[in-house]
Amino acid sequence: MAGLRAVLPLLCLLLPPPARAAGSAVGLEEEDGVLVLRAASFEQALAAHRYLLVEFYAPWCGHCKALAPEYAKAAAKLKAEGSEIRLAKVDATEESELAQQFGVRGYPTIKFFRNGDKAAPKEYTAGREADDIISWLKKRTGPAATTLTDAAAAETLVDSSEVVVIGFFKDSTSEAAKEFLLAAEAVDDIPFGISSSADVFTKYQLSKDGVVLFKKFDEGRNNFEGDLTKDNLLNFIKSNALPLVIEFTEQTAPKIFGGEIKTHILLFLPKSVSDYQEKLDNFKSAAGNFKGKILFIFIDSDHSDNQRILEFFGLKKEECPAVRLITLEEEMTKYKPESDDLTADKIKEFCNKFLEGKIKPHLMSQDLPEDWDKQPVKVLVGKNFEEVAFDENKNVFVEFYAPWCGHCKQLAPIWDKLGETYRDHENVVIAKMDSTANEVEAVKIHSFPTLKFFPAGSGRNVIDYNGERTLEGFKKFLESGGQDGAAADDDLEDLETDEETDLEEGDDDDEQKAQKDEL
């Protein structure tokens, strides 16, 4: 997924190892109610359980460690209910053949198997909290909406999750009820109920057909108004299912990035400041004006796990509190308010100007080093990129890198040798740019390292390099004028994206990082 997910804080939490159970009814190993599967037991588990959700994980993966307690909680709850659904996990670093068989390329990858069918397991796409997992699974294994025969059943459903949608229809075969069920089928992570019971109508104070979204935050309840169609219901749910302000955490990230709202405004606010609540209240006050249009997100800038996000936006802890806006369409675009004033009125003014198209994108740039051109590999920043890369008299080969990227560190000595090779060449320039601190309008970077060639001439052409990352490979590419090793339009490979990197920074983790990237 492109988008801000590319800058998720990468957690490597040191959770204690879970206690092992003696085994399941079919002799399978368990940990905290979760089946532990290996190549030898995978088929057995599929045969024994009609519905099986399998997490492919790596022991060192921060996201996997953060998911573990929620995954176990979901497993325990389903088991206690007597559900046919079981949760399982596979250590993909140990069971690499299984991981390859099911197309695992990042951690965690979660797949749902039904009736033992291995041909096309369903990818799990919902949130990473226990309620999200359970809701998604029940949608996959039961009716789109639970029939609520009495007030007690309705109350149980409302209490079961953070967000619940109930349709009240005196005739459950009406056209409106059919539209409601179509909407229920389209939503993976929210439980739906439907009722024709007079007791249920009375309990929730409805005198005529309608739809109500119940939630355990903000106003607590939203009544649908307007023409009852599937699309209108989906828009209603999209606008009301998330809090006015949602805190960014490992668990909420899938809800944030997997939702329909692709414009996000972020408040970077340390929880330690004395006026924390006042600033958060101002932010929340502004949010109500933009429901369904802009998602308001709060990030604790003091938290160590969020430092990578600050870096992505070119912010330092001492510059917070601060506000930034980002759009997550095909290309991520960042926006910065003109004022540092964080009052509700100023935030609303900034959002309105953005929606009216009156705000220009914000591009980060470091200051230009005085010695940027003194070494064989020239240093580019946002401020000198255009002048150097699009020099009509030069052929410029640029590495776009991240300081923490393991592949970039491996490439560095080869890139330096390439710079030495062409140090005195009259029209070839070897350069590099830290893309975590510099952005340019002409080039969008989605992975690290990205290598691009800017041939001489007036056409402002850009050629992606996809050949061997060796000195000889680079030399052949340059000597062929950017032909030998050039990437085809459909052959670009993300070797190491932000969203896939799941390790702490440091050279000791490079081996683990390489293992993961090979999957």
Side-chain angles (χ1 to χ4, degrees):
M1 184 185 317
L4 189 54
R5 244 179 67 182
V7 294
L8 295 184
L10 310 173
L11 310 179
C12 284
L13 308 177
L14 300 176
L15 299 180
R20 294 196 174 191
S24 70
V26 293
L28 295 169
E29 183 184 349
E30 290 188 28
E31 289 180 358
D32 292 341
V34 177
L35 300 175
V36 179
L37 303 185
R38 310 181 194 284
S41 58
F42 199 84
E43 295 283 351
Q44 181 187 0
L46 288 179
H49 300 290
R50 184 180 178 190
Y51 304 120
L52 192 65
L53 187 70
V54 181
E55 176 202 5
F56 294 86
Y57 74 97
W60 41 260
C61 159
H63 294 305
C64 303
K65 290 179 181 180
L67 173 64
E70 294 295 320
Y71 199 69
K73 183 178 174 183
K77 189 171 181 180
L78 288 168
K79 198 173 180 181
E81 292 176 0
S83 172
E84 289 186 276
I85 306 167
R86 290 303 306 270
L87 271 61
K89 62 182 180 180
V90 172
D91 182 344
T93 66
E94 292 289 336
E95 307 296 337
S96 57
E97 288 187 10
L98 275 180
Q100 290 175 7
Q101 179 181 351
F102 295 110
V104 176
R105 297 195 60 81
Y107 304 122
T109 291
I110 307 173
K111 292 181 181 284
F112 178 58
F113 296 83
R114 182 195 296 266
N115 297 321
D117 183 11
K118 297 186 296 181
K122 180 76 175 177
E123 194 88 15
Y124 176 80
T125 56
R128 293 184 182 176
E129 293 181 329
D131 284 347
D132 301 322
I133 295 168
I134 292 169
S135 295
W136 189 91
L137 287 167
K138 287 184 174 179
K139 275 292 186 72
R140 289 288 177 273
T141 57
T146 303
T147 300
L148 307 172
T149 56
D150 54 36
E155 187 173 5
T156 298
L157 181 64
V158 169
D159 289 342
S160 68
S161 294
E162 281 284 299
V163 179
V164 171
V165 179
I166 296 180
F168 299 80
F169 301 100
K170 293 177 180 178
D171 177 3
S172 61
T173 64
S174 66
E175 288 303 313
K178 291 176 183 176
E179 289 291 313
F180 173 79
L181 290 174
L182 288 173
E185 290 171 0
V187 179
D188 286 337
D189 54 349
I190 297 174
F192 280 64
I194 185 169
S195 183
S196 302
S197 165
D199 288 345
V200 177
F201 272 70
T202 300
K203 178 174 178 60
Y204 295 104
Q205 302 173 333
L206 270 82
S207 58
K208 60 181 181 179
D209 287 3
V211 175
V212 178
L213 183 147
F214 298 92
K215 55 192 181 185
K216 296 177 181 176
F217 49 83
D218 296 341
E219 60 269 60
R221 168 177 175 161
N222 301 107
N223 291 3
F224 174 79
E225 297 177 359
D227 187 17
L228 207 158
T229 66
K230 172 189 171 183
D231 288 343
N232 287 344
L233 280 173
L234 292 177
N235 285 331
F236 163 74
I237 293 165
K238 176 184 77 171
S239 297
N240 293 289
L242 288 176
L244 278 175
V245 174
I246 183 168
E247 181 174 2
F248 180 88
T249 67
E250 181 80 9
Q251 283 70 40
T252 62
K255 295 179 184 179
I256 291 170
F257 301 116
E260 295 297 318
I261 303 173
K262 299 303 182 185
T263 299
H264 299 172
I265 186 169
L266 301 98
L267 172 63
F268 295 89
L269 177 64
K271 289 186 176 181
S272 58
V273 296
S274 58
D275 58 349
Y276 158 77
Q277 194 59 52
E278 179 186 346
K279 284 187 165 55
L280 192 60
D281 288 345
N282 284 339
F283 195 59
K284 189 172 183 178
S285 176
N289 297 71
F290 303 97
K291 284 176 68 172
K293 298 177 183 177
I294 299 176
L295 192 60
F296 279 60
I297 302 165
F298 151 62
I299 297 176
D300 180 5
S301 56
D302 271 346
H303 202 294
S304 59
D305 292 327
N306 293 334
Q307 298 315 300
R308 182 71 54 83
I309 305 180
L310 268 71
E311 178 184 299
F312 178 76
F313 282 93
L315 284 168
K316 298 176 182 177
K317 286 176 69 173
E318 54 268 25
E319 294 176 306
C320 298
V323 163
R324 295 291 186 270
L325 187 145
I326 188 167
T327 57
L328 306 180
E329 302 300 338
E330 288 187 11
E331 299 289 354
M332 290 186 292
T333 308
K334 304 170 191 173
Y335 299 85
K336 176 183 177 182
E338 296 175 356
S339 169
D340 293 331
D341 191 341
L342 298 181
T343 61
D345 286 343
K346 282 295 183 181
I347 293 169
K348 284 189 280 189
E349 179 184 335
F350 174 55
C351 291
N352 281 322
K353 283 186 176 180
F354 165 78
L355 293 174
E356 293 165 4
K358 296 179 179 178
I359 304 289
K360 291 183 178 180
H362 171 64
L363 300 173
M364 296 187 300
S365 178
Q366 293 174 306
D367 291 331
L368 182 64
E370 291 184 6
D371 60 348
W372 72 271
D373 60 348
K374 299 298 188 288
Q375 299 299 319
V377 176
K378 313 308 177 190
V379 177
L380 302 185
V381 297
K383 295 175 180 177
N384 72 333
F385 180 85
E386 281 278 330
E387 177 186 353
V388 177
F390 291 108
D391 186 333
E392 295 183 9
N393 300 310
K394 303 289 185 183
N395 295 290
V396 184
F397 199 12
V398 183
E399 176 203 6
F400 299 87
Y401 72 97
W404 43 262
C405 159
H407 289 301
C408 302
K409 293 174 184 177
Q410 293 168 10
L411 178 61
I414 300 171
W415 202 250
D416 286 341
K417 287 179 183 176
L418 185 66
E420 286 286 354
T421 302
Y422 290 93
R423 181 172 197 158
D424 298 319
H425 199 285
E426 61 180 355
N427 64 5
V428 172
V429 175
I430 308 301
K432 64 181 180 180
M433 188 171 86
D434 178 355
S435 286
T436 67
N438 298 280
E439 297 168 316
V440 292
E441 196 167 351
V443 177
K444 301 297 182 183
I445 303 302
H446 301 289
S447 61
F448 301 114
T450 290
L451 307 176
K452 291 181 181 286
F453 180 58
F454 301 82
S458 58
R460 293 178 64 85
N461 295 324
V462 183
I463 299 172
D464 288 281
Y465 179 79
N466 201 34
E468 293 181 359
R469 293 181 179 178
T470 63
L471 183 60
E472 287 305 311
F474 293 144
K475 287 167 66 177
K476 285 181 182 178
F477 176 69
L478 289 169
E479 289 162 11
S480 68
Q483 300 299 312
D484 189 346
D489 290 342
D490 59 352
D491 191 36
L492 299 179
E493 180 182 10
D494 287 352
L495 285 178
E496 181 174 356
T497 61
D498 285 343
E499 65 191 20
E500 290 177 340
T501 307
D502 221 331
L503 302 167
E504 293 178 342
E505 297 179 39
D507 295 338
D508 292 344
D509 292 322
D510 287 347
E511 182 179 350
Q512 290 178 330
K513 189 177 296 182
Q515 289 172 352
K516 179 191 147 305
D517 289 330
E518 287 168 5
L519 284 173

